């Protein structure tokens, strides 16, 4: 089986992807975009697509942003090392856990200052994968387009969410994928992506890890790693594509399918450029700051089509691969109602974001006992799962299958996988 899967990696590159990501000097027509990139699930970079945005000149000046958002409370994310939605050593076991950032509401000027002048003990960034640009940062909406016109026409819809990310070079995103067609516009600084197509899913060594969260104390300036209770598991890629030089050999032996396979596509998206990141593509993200000391990006999430390509992907990722042994747990395994982690793994959505899965705390009603509980970040299996039976809105994060018509009920947001 391994040989056939490896042949697929090579064949998809030979037939459609090539070895580099296409750079377009001007926005494509809707037909060209749909035909050459969306239908082929193929990324591209588009220059001169947002050159008319006032944001390109205005947002590089920190004083402009601080004045425009002077009274805005925004979701500030804090980690000790810039690694959020990542794997770290478990606090009480000789294993790893999946950790999310500490999130606290902060006045924007204070948050921006932490990002631009990071202290030694923490790394801060701003984001919220819940349509935050049109909610927390609505004062800036006139500086950008509400949507990408040629993409909206090609895809036949408007974006379901528009998200803003502001951070510095210390933040880094581990490999993950999104169930959205993503138009990623860089306004300041540069974004550095490593990309792998959905056909390379076995190279990600996806495994379930216990969920944890950083808790930050402002009094002593220290972070505490807290494992979630009740226990909850998150399927996540085990691969660190940028290990320290001293551990490179060891990592290569642990994850040979990744390190010995085709090289990932390396892409740098500069200010003023837009990356089309197709749905289901795995991506690892770093950044370099611009003149204002920050990297700023706006990403538009368009709903993906759960078509035959999606069915092929589900079939492919269900195939066992002996080279992975028991390290990889197919995403479908997380969807078994009878498993020991069934209740926790039902916290599922198509949200995933770029630098973090952290979303607002949502309230849902347990359909078995009618009680309410907090669902931190609507993540669970969401970042690596493949269930299409969800509908997103700014009011509700997840909907019961078949309950889309009940979107006016704020409690009707219990995510259930296939």
């Amino acid at each position: 089986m391994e040989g056939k899967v490896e042949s697929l990696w090579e064949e998809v590159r030979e037939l459609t992807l090539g070895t580099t990501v296409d750079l377009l000097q001007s926005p494509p027509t809707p037909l060209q975009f749909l035909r050459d990139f969306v239908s082929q699930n193929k990324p591209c970079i588009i220059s001169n697509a947002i050159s008319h945005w006032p944001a390109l000149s205005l947002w590089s000046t920190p004083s402009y942003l601080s004045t425009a958002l002077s009274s805005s409370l925004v979701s500030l994310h804090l980690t000790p090392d810039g690694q959020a939605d990542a794997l770290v050593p478990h606090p009480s076991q000789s294993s790893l856990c999946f950790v999310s950032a500490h999130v606290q509401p902060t006045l924007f000027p204070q948050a921006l200052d932490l990002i631009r002048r990071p202290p030694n003990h923490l790394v801060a960034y701003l984001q919220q994968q819940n349509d935050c640009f049109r909610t927390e940062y609505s004062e800036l909406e006139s500086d950008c387009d509400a949507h990408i016109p040629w993409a909206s026409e090609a895809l036949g819809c408007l974006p379901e969410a528009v998200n803003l990310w502001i951070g510095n070079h210390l933040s880094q995103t581990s490999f993950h994928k999104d169930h959205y067609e993503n138009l990623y516009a860089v306004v300041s600084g540069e974004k550095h992506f490593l990309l792998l197509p959905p056909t390379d899913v076995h190279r990600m060594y996806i495994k379930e890890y216990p969920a944890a969260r950083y808790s930050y104390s402002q009094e002593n300036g220290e972070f505490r790693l807290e494992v979630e209770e009740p226990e909850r598991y998150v399927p996540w890629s085990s691969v660190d594509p940028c290990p320290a030089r001293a551990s490179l050999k060891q990592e290569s032996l642990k994850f040979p399918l990744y390190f010995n396979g085709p090289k990932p596509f390396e892409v740098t998206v500069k200010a003023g450029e837009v990356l089309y990141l197709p749905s289901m593509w795995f991506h690892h993200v770093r950044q370099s700051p611009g003149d204002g000391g920050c990297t700023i990006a706006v990403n538009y999430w368009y709903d993906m089509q759960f078509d035959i390509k999606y069915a092929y992907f589900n079939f492919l990722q269900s195939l066992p691969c002996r080279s992975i042994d028991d390290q990889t747990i197919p995403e479908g395994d997380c969807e078994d109602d009878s498993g020991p982690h069934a209740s926790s793994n039902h916290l599922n959505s198509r949200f995933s974001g770029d630098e973090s899965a952290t979303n607002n705390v949502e309230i849902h009603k347990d359909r078995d006992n009618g009680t309410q509980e907090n669902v931190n970040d609507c993540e669970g299996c969401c970042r690596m799962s493949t269930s299409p039976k969800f509908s997103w809105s700014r009011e509700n994060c997840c909907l019961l299958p078949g309950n889309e018509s009940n979107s006016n009920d704020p409690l009707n947001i219990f995510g259930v996988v296939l």
Side-chain angles (χ1 to χ4, degrees), residues 399-417:
L399 295 178
L400 278 169
N403 275 2
E404 289 79 358
S405 60
N406 295 335
S407 59
N408 60 343
D409 180 0
L411 297 180
N412 189 9
I413 51 175
F414 190 91
V416 182
V417 293

Side-chain angles (χ1 to χ4, degrees), residues 6-33:
E6 291 173 8
S7 295
L8 175 63
W9 305 337
E10 299 291 349
E11 188 172 23
V12 73
R13 286 162 173 80
E14 293 174 359
L15 293 178
T16 182
L17 297 179
T19 57
T20 60
V21 173
D22 290 349
L23 173 61
L24 308 183
Q25 294 301 325
S26 60
T29 65
L31 175 60
Q32 179 189 2
F33 181 58

Side-chain angles (χ1 to χ4, degrees), residues 247-375:
S247 59
L248 178 58
K249 182 177 181 180
Q250 180 183 6
E251 293 296 299
S252 299
L253 292 174
K254 286 170 59 179
F255 309 115
L257 296 183
Y258 176 81
F259 288 98
N260 298 335
K263 291 183 178 180
F265 295 87
E266 296 188 41
V267 174
T268 292
V269 186
K270 302 177 182 180
E273 295 181 334
V274 175
L275 170 67
Y276 166 55
L277 181 60
S279 57
M280 310 294 283
W281 272 65
F282 295 96
H283 50 288
H284 178 277
V285 194
R286 294 172 294 170
Q287 50 274 323
S288 302
D291 293 338
C294 298
T295 305
I296 306 177
V298 180
N299 61 306
Y300 297 80
W301 277 355
Y302 289 84
D303 195 15
M304 66 172 280
Q305 293 295 317
F306 293 91
D307 53 16
I308 195 168
K309 294 191 298 294
Y310 172 77
Y312 286 153
F313 173 80
N314 275 350
F315 173 73
L316 174 64
Q317 61 93 33
S318 71
L319 297 177
C321 192
R322 285 184 299 173
S323 297
I324 300 178
D325 296 324
D326 292 330
Q327 295 183 73
T328 295
I329 298 178
E331 295 174 351
D333 290 356
C334 302
E335 302 171 359
D336 184 356
D337 288 344
S338 61
H341 313 306
S343 60
S344 59
N345 284 339
H346 281 169
L347 305 179
N348 216 356
S349 83
R350 285 188 289 114
F351 267 123
S352 84
D354 145 359
E355 277 65 34
S356 170
T358 311
N359 306 311
N360 285 338
V361 174
E362 301 284 354
I363 306 295
H364 72 248
K365 182 177 292 184
D366 188 305
R367 61 174 181 170
D368 295 324
N369 55 29
T371 61
Q372 296 180 10
E373 60 175 322
N374 287 333
V375 181

Side-chain angles (χ1 to χ4, degrees), residues 81-370:
D81 56 6
Q83 305 288 324
D85 290 351
L87 302 179
V88 299
H90 195 286
S92 60
Q93 302 175 13
S94 58
S95 59
L96 299 175
C97 62
F98 172 86
V99 64
S100 299
H102 172 87
V103 185
Q104 64 183 44
T106 306
L107 285 172
F108 179 84
Q110 299 173 9
L112 186 62
D113 189 60
L114 273 178
I115 294 171
R116 298 180 62 237
R117 302 177 182 87
N120 293 328
H121 63 283
L122 63 81
V123 177
Y125 61 94
L126 289 169
Q127 72 123 42
Q128 199 78 339
Q129 300 298 338
N130 63 348
D131 201 33
C132 68
F133 185 60
R134 296 188 288 202
T135 53
E136 292 187 11
Y137 303 93
S138 59
E139 291 85 352
L140 301 177
E141 279 191 275
S142 61
D143 294 341
C144 303
D145 287 340
H147 65 107
I148 308 296
W150 43 268
S152 298
E153 184 174 346
L155 296 168
C157 61
L158 294 173
E160 290 197 1
V162 183
N163 299 309
L164 179 71
W165 192 92
I166 303 177
N168 57 39
H169 66 287
L170 298 173
S171 293
Q172 182 172 283
T173 309
S174 56
F175 264 122
H176 65 282
K177 63 174 172 58
D178 302 327
H179 293 72
Y180 285 96
E181 307 290 354
N182 194 346
L183 274 297
Y184 202 99
V186 176
V187 177
S188 180
E190 296 179 347
K191 283 283 188 177
H192 311 290
F193 289 83
L194 295 178
L195 305 177
L196 284 176
T199 49
D200 291 31
V201 59
H202 292 99
R203 301 177 64 195
M204 292 288 90
Y205 292 84
I206 296 168
K207 179 181 176 182
E208 281 193 328
Y209 294 94
R213 182 174 301 277
Y214 285 121
S215 177
Y216 178 70
S217 171
Q218 296 187 8
E219 295 180 358
N220 57 28
E222 295 181 354
F223 284 91
R224 185 172 67 254
L225 185 61
E226 299 176 343
V227 179
E228 291 189 13
E229 295 291 345
E231 194 174 53
R232 182 170 68 89
Y233 282 74
V234 177
W236 204 252
S237 172
S238 305
V239 175
D240 177 5
C242 307
R245 185 180 298 272
S247 59
L248 178 58
K249 182 177 181 180
Q250 180 183 6
E251 293 296 299
S252 299
L253 292 174
K254 286 170 59 179
F255 309 115
L257 296 183
Y258 176 81
F259 288 98
N260 298 335
K263 291 183 178 180
F265 295 87
E266 296 188 41
V267 174
T268 292
V269 186
K270 302 177 182 180
E273 295 181 334
V274 175
L275 170 67
Y276 166 55
L277 181 60
S279 57
M280 310 294 283
W281 272 65
F282 295 96
H283 50 288
H284 178 277
V285 194
R286 294 172 294 170
Q287 50 274 323
S288 302
D291 293 338
C294 298
T295 305
I296 306 177
V298 180
N299 61 306
Y300 297 80
W301 277 355
Y302 289 84
D303 195 15
M304 66 172 280
Q305 293 295 317
F306 293 91
D307 53 16
I308 195 168
K309 294 191 298 294
Y310 172 77
Y312 286 153
F313 173 80
N314 275 350
F315 173 73
L316 174 64
Q317 61 93 33
S318 71
L319 297 177
C321 192
R322 285 184 299 173
S323 297
I324 300 178
D325 296 324
D326 292 330
Q327 295 183 73
T328 295
I329 298 178
E331 295 174 351
D333 290 356
C334 302
E335 302 171 359
D336 184 356
D337 288 344
S338 61
H341 313 306
S343 60
S344 59
N345 284 339
H346 281 169
L347 305 179
N348 216 356
S349 83
R350 285 188 289 114
F351 267 123
S352 84
D354 145 359
E355 277 65 34
S356 170
T358 311
N359 306 311
N360 285 338
V361 174
E362 301 284 354
I363 306 295
H364 72 248
K365 182 177 292 184
D366 188 305
R367 61 174 181 170
D368 295 324
N369 55 29

Side-chain angles (χ1 to χ4, degrees), residues 43-113:
C44 65
I45 299 175
I46 305 101
S47 296
N48 301 307
I50 59 171
S51 54
H52 58 287
W53 283 11
L56 283 179
S57 58
L58 295 175
W59 291 8
S60 59
T61 306
S63 60
Y64 171 82
L65 293 173
S66 293
T67 300
L69 299 165
S70 59
S71 59
S72 297
L73 278 176
V74 294
S75 300
L76 179 65
H77 293 231
L78 301 175
T79 71
D81 56 6
Q83 305 288 324
D85 290 351
L87 302 179
V88 299
H90 195 286
S92 60
Q93 302 175 13
S94 58
S95 59
L96 299 175
C97 62
F98 172 86
V99 64
S100 299
H102 172 87
V103 185
Q104 64 183 44
T106 306
L107 285 172
F108 179 84
Q110 299 173 9
L112 186 62
D113 189 60

